[in-house]
Coordinates of all heavy atoms in Angstrom, one line a residue:
L98 N 56.8 8.4 37.7 CA 55.9 9.5 38.2 C 56.2 10.8 37.5 O 55.2 11.5 37.1 CB 56.0 9.6 39.7 CG 55.5 8.5 40.5 CD1 55.9 8.6 42.0 CD2 54.0 8.4 40.4
K99 N 57.4 11.1 37.3 CA 57.7 12.4 36.7 C 57.2 12.4 35.2 O 56.6 13.4 34.7 CB 59.2 12.7 36.6 CG 59.8 13.1 38.0 CD 61.2 13.4 37.9 CE 61.8 13.9 39.2 NZ 63.2 14.3 39.2
E100 N 57.3 11.3 34.6 CA 56.8 11.1 33.2 C 55.3 11.3 33.1 O 54.7 11.6 32.0 CB 57.2 9.8 32.6 CG 58.7 9.6 32.3 CD 59.1 8.2 31.8 OE1 58.2 7.3 32.0 OE2 60.2 8.1 31.3
H101 N 54.6 11.1 34.3 CA 53.2 11.2 34.3 C 52.7 12.4 35.1 O 51.6 12.5 35.7 CB 52.6 9.9 34.9 CG 52.7 8.8 33.9 ND1 53.8 8.0 33.9 CD2 51.8 8.3 33.0 CE1 53.6 7.1 32.9 NE2 52.4 7.2 32.4
G102 N 53.6 13.5 35.1 CA 53.1 14.8 35.5 C 53.2 15.1 37.0 O 52.6 16.0 37.6
V103 N 53.9 14.2 37.8 CA 54.0 14.3 39.2 C 55.3 15.1 39.6 O 56.4 14.6 39.2 CB 53.9 13.0 39.9 CG1 54.0 13.1 41.5 CG2 52.6 12.3 39.6
D104 N 55.2 16.0 40.5 CA 56.4 16.7 41.0 C 56.9 15.9 42.2 O 56.2 15.8 43.2 CB 56.0 18.1 41.4 CG 57.2 19.0 41.9 OD1 58.2 18.4 42.3 OD2 57.0 20.2 42.0
T105 N 58.1 15.4 42.1 CA 58.6 14.5 43.2 C 59.7 15.2 44.0 O 60.4 14.5 44.8 CB 59.2 13.2 42.6 OG1 60.3 13.6 41.7 CG2 58.2 12.4 41.9
D106 N 59.8 16.5 43.9 CA 60.9 17.2 44.6 C 60.8 17.2 46.1 O 61.7 17.4 46.9 CB 60.9 18.7 44.2 CG 61.5 18.9 42.8 OD1 62.0 17.9 42.2 OD2 61.4 20.0 42.2
A107 N 59.5 16.9 46.6 CA 59.3 16.8 48.1 C 59.5 15.4 48.7 O 59.2 15.3 49.8 CB 58.0 17.4 48.4
V108 N 59.8 14.5 47.8 CA 60.0 13.1 48.3 C 61.2 12.9 49.1 O 62.3 13.3 48.7 CB 59.9 12.1 47.2 CG1 60.3 10.7 47.7 CG2 58.6 12.1 46.5
H109 N 61.1 12.4 50.3 CA 62.2 12.1 51.2 C 62.8 10.8 50.9 O 62.0 9.8 50.9 CB 61.8 12.2 52.7 CG 62.9 11.7 53.6 ND1 64.0 12.4 54.0 CD2 62.9 10.5 54.3 CE1 64.7 11.7 54.9 NE2 64.0 10.5 55.0
V110 N 64.1 10.7 50.7 CA 64.8 9.3 50.4 C 65.5 8.9 51.7 O 66.5 9.5 52.1 CB 65.7 9.4 49.2 CG1 66.3 8.1 49.0 CG2 65.0 9.9 48.0
S111 N 65.1 7.8 52.2 CA 65.8 7.2 53.4 C 67.1 6.5 53.0 O 67.2 5.9 52.0 CB 64.9 6.1 54.0 OG 65.5 5.5 55.1
A112 N 68.0 6.7 53.9 CA 69.3 6.0 53.7 C 69.4 4.6 54.4 O 70.3 3.9 54.2 CB 70.4 6.9 54.4
E113 N 68.3 4.3 55.1 CA 68.3 3.0 55.9 C 67.2 2.0 55.5 O 67.4 0.8 55.7 CB 68.1 3.4 57.4 CG 69.1 4.3 58.0 CD 68.8 4.7 59.4 OE1 67.9 4.1 60.0 OE2 69.5 5.7 59.9
H114 N 66.1 2.5 55.0 CA 64.9 1.6 54.7 C 64.5 1.6 53.3 O 64.7 2.5 52.6 CB 63.8 2.0 55.6 CG 64.1 2.1 57.1 ND1 64.3 1.0 57.9 CD2 64.2 3.2 57.9 CE1 64.5 1.4 59.1 NE2 64.5 2.7 59.2
Q115 N 63.9 0.5 52.9 CA 63.4 0.3 51.6 C 62.0 1.0 51.5 O 61.4 1.2 52.5 CB 63.3 -1.2 51.2 CG 64.6 -1.9 51.1 CD 65.5 -1.4 50.0 OE1 65.1 -1.4 48.8 NE2 66.7 -0.9 50.3
T116 N 61.6 1.2 50.2 CA 60.3 1.7 50.0 C 59.2 0.8 50.5 O 59.4 -0.5 50.5 CB 60.0 2.0 48.5 OG1 61.1 2.9 48.0 CG2 58.7 2.6 48.2
A117 N 58.1 1.3 51.0 CA 57.1 0.5 51.6 C 56.6 -0.6 50.7 O 56.6 -0.5 49.4 CB 55.9 1.4 52.1
R118 N 56.0 -1.7 51.2 CA 55.5 -2.8 50.4 C 54.0 -3.0 50.8 O 53.7 -3.1 52.0 CB 56.3 -4.1 50.6 CG 57.7 -4.0 50.2 CD 57.9 -4.0 48.7 NE 59.2 -4.2 48.3 CZ 60.1 -3.2 48.2 NH1 59.8 -1.9 48.5 NH2 61.4 -3.4 47.8
F119 N 53.1 -3.1 49.9 CA 51.7 -3.5 50.1 C 51.5 -4.9 49.5 O 51.7 -5.1 48.3 CB 50.8 -2.5 49.4 CG 49.4 -2.8 49.5 CD1 48.7 -2.9 50.7 CD2 48.6 -3.0 48.3 CE1 47.3 -3.1 50.7 CE2 47.3 -3.3 48.4 CZ 46.6 -3.4 49.5
M120 N 51.1 -5.8 50.3 CA 50.8 -7.2 49.8 C 49.3 -7.5 50.0 O 48.8 -7.5 51.1 CB 51.7 -8.2 50.6 CG 53.1 -8.1 50.2 SD 54.3 -8.5 51.6 CE 54.3 -7.0 52.6
C121 N 48.6 -7.7 48.9 CA 47.2 -7.8 48.9 C 46.7 -9.0 48.1 O 47.2 -9.3 47.0 CB 46.6 -6.6 48.3 SG 44.8 -6.5 48.3
M122 N 45.8 -9.8 48.6 CA 45.1 -10.9 48.0 C 43.7 -10.6 47.8 O 43.0 -10.2 48.8 CB 45.4 -12.2 48.8 CG 44.8 -13.4 48.2 SD 45.4 -14.9 49.2 CE 45.1 -14.4 50.9
T123 N 43.2 -10.8 46.6 CA 41.8 -10.6 46.3 C 41.1 -11.9 45.9 O 41.6 -12.6 45.0 CB 41.7 -9.5 45.1 OG1 42.4 -8.4 45.4 CG2 40.2 -9.2 44.8
D124 N 39.9 -12.1 46.4 CA 39.1 -13.3 46.0 C 38.2 -13.0 44.9 O 38.1 -11.9 44.4 CB 38.5 -13.9 47.3 CG 37.2 -13.2 47.7 OD1 36.9 -12.2 47.2 OD2 36.6 -13.6 48.7
Q125 N 37.4 -14.0 44.5 CA 36.5 -13.9 43.4 C 35.3 -12.9 43.6 O 34.6 -12.5 42.7 CB 36.0 -15.2 42.9 CG 35.1 -15.9 43.9 CD 34.6 -17.3 43.4 OE1 35.3 -18.0 42.8 NE2 33.4 -17.7 43.8
D126 N 35.1 -12.5 44.9 CA 34.0 -11.6 45.2 C 34.6 -10.2 45.4 O 33.9 -9.3 45.9 CB 33.3 -12.0 46.5 CG 32.5 -13.3 46.3 OD1 32.1 -13.6 45.2 OD2 32.3 -14.0 47.3

Side-chain angles (χ1 to χ4, degrees):
L98 289 170
K99 286 183 174 181
E100 290 175 346
H101 289 82
V103 178
D104 184 342
T105 61
D106 287 351
V108 172
H109 167 79
V110 181
S111 171
E113 302 176 9
H114 305 288
Q115 295 294 301
T116 301
R118 298 288 189 275
F119 174 65
M120 289 149 281
C121 181
M122 181 169 48
T123 304
D124 73 1
Q125 66 183 32
D126 294 334

